[in-house]
Amino acid sequence: MTEVKSRVPGKIVRFEKQVGEHVEVKDVLIVMEAMKMKQLVPAPVAGTVKEYKVQEGERVSAGAVVAIIE
């Protein structure tokens, strides 16, 4: 199990992968808005998206766990 963390504070715009979907390293999981710019949250490992710890529209801080990959 791997925790995926936000690198910057920002707002969750949308999920690019669904729970249960297989991802490869560097696949984009989440699109965030930070400092009026689009920030992409990539998968750090290959695996299956187990869950998202955030909701679309939610604001998160840097270092917040946003997803779990198994």
Side-chain angles (χ1 to χ4, degrees):
M1 181 174 77
T2 301
E3 292 181 333
V4 181
K5 297 180 180 181
S6 170
R7 293 177 287 179
V8 295
K11 179 181 168 185
I12 304 298
V13 175
R14 71 177 174 273
F15 301 123
E16 291 291 313
K17 301 291 182 181
Q18 301 301 314
V19 171
E21 193 170 345
H22 181 78
V23 294
E24 295 295 331
V25 174
K26 296 187 180 178
D27 281 357
V28 175
L29 296 174
I30 299 172
V31 176
M32 292 178 59
E33 181 182 287
M35 298 174 282
K36 300 199 185 236
M37 296 176 62
K38 182 168 70 169
Q39 300 288 326
L40 306 177
V41 179
V45 296
T48 302
V49 179
K50 181 179 178 193
E51 71 177 299
Y52 286 110
K53 297 287 195 176
V54 293
Q55 301 292 322
E56 289 182 358
E58 185 176 338
R59 294 202 171 276
V60 297
S61 58
V65 175
V66 294
I68 303 291
I69 297 176
E70 279 192 323

